[in-house]
Amino acid sequence: MNVGIIGAGQLGQMLALSGFPFALGFHFLDSSPDAPGARVAPIVVGAFDDLASLRELAARVDLVTYEFENVPVDALHEMAAAKPCFPPVEALRVSQDRVLEKELFGRLDIPTPAYRAVDSRADLDAAVATLGLPCVLKTRRLGYDGRGQRVLRRRADVAPAWEALGAVPLILESFVAFDREVSIVGARATTGETRCYPIVTNTHRGGILRVTLAPTRSARLQRAAERHLERVMDHLGYRGVLTLEFFVQRGRLVANEMAPRVHNSGHWTIEGAVTSQFENHLRAILGLPLGDTSPVGHSAMVNFIGTMPDAARILALPGAHLHDYGKTPRPGRKLGHATVVAPTAAGRDALLKRLLRLVPP
Ligand code: AMP
């Protein structure tokens, strides 16, 4: 059985690595011939919106999935006529537009920050007047890792933010003074069976995920997050892994966004859970039984952004696992990550402290 993966970044690479024990073969589509996935499987080199490349990928495999959200939906629809594609293209369509995403959350009774769609400077002024300051202006599409967004704290921030972002459709959201950020990763199989991982706590720097702590023990938040995730998955007739990111504000979950794919905040599951998110994604899209999502201890995942630390020093830490994606260093680029796993939360926190000392600031 051969699986096509659109996008050969580190997520695609880790998906393929998790599928080799099942004797699966993989082919990627990526515009870059030396993307991380090239180390583990062949790449069809082409643009994500190039139908000929998508068709070539489809011709080589039995089914297709994606690790990358900005694949044009129309091209994917066409390709999906040739080979099955999971998660459903509709999930991708919704997740590509922050307004569609929030409308879906609203329909499914999932709380979000207050928001307004913004298509003109007049819209922006009206939205700022309605939502009040501070607020966050974001591009509706193609934003990730904090790119394409500005926090507006004073009236004087409005004009420069409009100058910087106003060329494309925008969304204005009220600023959530959150206590922390959490996410939930879960898988849904064709049978409708779902398995959710424990919620995890995420710390960002400059809009980029820096540290994930797993598990976050709160039976109440876990129940609420699972309810929200399952509602979205059921609504979309989902197959595969889905991630929801939340703010926790005064003990309540407020949804920020969804990702219809394996997620950076689920990397800890490779060593810290019975079954990894990558394996469960493959099980779900292949129609196999889902694996146990229980944690096997307490984990911390640290992203290496812009610079890789010294590998030998990381590996000298007990319980540390290193993932180097083999990418050329560039400021703000995710180059790798490490996960530490310990039997107790206190043990994990002590290891995390030592790990963070080895990571360039
Ligand atoms: P996003 O690209 O929407 O995931 O945003 C990146 C990060 O910016 C989030 O993880 C938050 O730390 C912060 N952020 C985004 N939206 C808001 C908001 N409405 N209120 C407060 N912080 C936000």
Side-chain angles (χ1 to χ4, degrees):
M1 174 79 89
N2 284 298
V3 178
I5 304 178
I6 301 174
Q10 61 269 15
L11 296 174
Q13 184 193 41
M14 288 184 268
L15 260 179
L17 288 171
S18 75
F20 292 140
F22 295 162
L24 296 171
F26 292 89
H27 291 262
F28 292 106
L29 168 67
D30 203 286
S31 55
S32 164
D34 50 7
R39 239 175 248 105
V40 296
I43 299 187
V44 174
V45 179
F48 297 116
D49 59 353
D50 176 34
L51 219 89
S53 302
L54 282 164
R55 285 201 182 114
E56 186 184 337
L57 178 73
R60 291 187 188 190
V61 299
D62 301 288
L63 81 171
V64 177
T65 188
Y66 47 87
E67 57 114 56
F68 176 79
E69 258 146 283
N70 293 324
V71 189
V73 165
D74 289 345
L76 205 59
H77 258 305
E78 290 243 357
M79 193 218 63
K83 285 285 156 67
C85 178
F86 306 110
V89 181
E90 176 62 9
L92 191 72
R93 192 182 73 84
V94 171
S95 73
Q96 286 179 347
D97 183 326
R98 292 183 190 272
V99 170
L100 295 185
E101 200 170 72
K102 287 196 169 56
E103 284 173 358
L104 176 66
F105 291 156
R107 278 203 299 281
L108 299 177
D109 240 354
I110 301 171
T112 67
Y115 69 94
R116 292 284 181 281
V118 169
D119 292 317
S120 66
R121 178 61 207 265
D123 283 355
L124 178 58
D125 290 337
V128 170
T130 312
L131 300 181
L133 295 169
C135 48
V136 188
L137 187 64
K138 302 178 179 179
T139 56
R140 277 176 70 160
R141 301 172 63 84
L142 303 176
Y144 67 101
D145 283 349
R147 287 174 218 208
Q149 58 179 272
R150 296 285 172 101
V151 178
L152 312 184
R153 297 185 188 282
R154 309 169 213 88
R155 292 278 333 159
D157 295 334
V158 175
W162 174 255
E163 274 302 304
L165 303 178
V168 293
L170 302 172
I171 180 172
L172 188 74
E173 299 175 9
S174 55
F175 185 89
V176 180
F178 54 82
D179 306 318
R180 58 201 160 94
E181 292 183 85
V182 300
S183 58
I184 187 162
V185 173
R188 184 177 188 274
T190 19
T191 53
E193 177 200 6
T194 59
R195 296 268 186 134
C196 294
Y197 289 93
I199 52 171
V200 298
T201 299
N202 301 315
T203 315
H204 296 82
R205 191 192 287 171
I208 305 178
L209 179 65
R210 170 86 167 168
V211 176
T212 295
L213 294 181
T216 299
R217 295 248 190 255
S218 161
R220 193 177 53 77
L221 291 182
Q222 182 74 32
R223 270 197 309 276
E226 287 189 15
R227 202 171 52 241
H228 295 331
L229 189 77
E230 284 170 6
R231 217 170 266 176
V232 176
M233 293 199 290
D234 288 344
H235 175 83
L236 292 167
Y238 204 81
R239 188 160 167 182
V241 158
L242 177 73
T243 307
L244 289 188
E245 294 182 66
F246 300 98
F247 305 116
V248 181
Q249 188 184 32
R250 294 189 289 275
R252 189 171 153 265
L253 294 179
V254 179
N256 177 28
E257 59 182 357
M258 64 183 246
R261 55 170 170 78
V262 286
H263 195 257
N264 195 169
S265 70
H267 287 2
W268 68 275
T269 61
I270 297 175
E271 296 91 5
V274 176
T275 315
S276 81
Q277 63 163 350
F278 300 99
E279 182 176 324
N280 258 335
H281 182 71
L282 293 174
R283 288 183 184 221
I285 64 171
L286 291 164
L288 297 168
L290 298 178
D292 187 346
T293 48
S294 308
V296 293
H298 294 261
S299 302
M301 189 281 317
V302 176
N303 269 341
F304 303 135
I305 301 161
T307 321
M308 278 301 289
D310 182 68
R313 296 183 72 189
I314 298 283
L315 292 172
L317 287 175
H321 304 270
L322 178 67
H323 298 255
D324 182 341
Y325 311 145
K327 289 156 83 172
T328 310
R330 208 186 301 140
R333 196 172 200 207
K334 289 176 184 167
L335 302 176
H337 76 269
T339 300
V340 288
V341 186
T344 63
R348 181 265 323 271
D349 292 346
L351 278 173
L352 173 62
K353 226 176 187 174
R354 290 171 64 189
L355 173 57
L356 287 173
R357 266 191 237 122
L358 304 176
V359 181

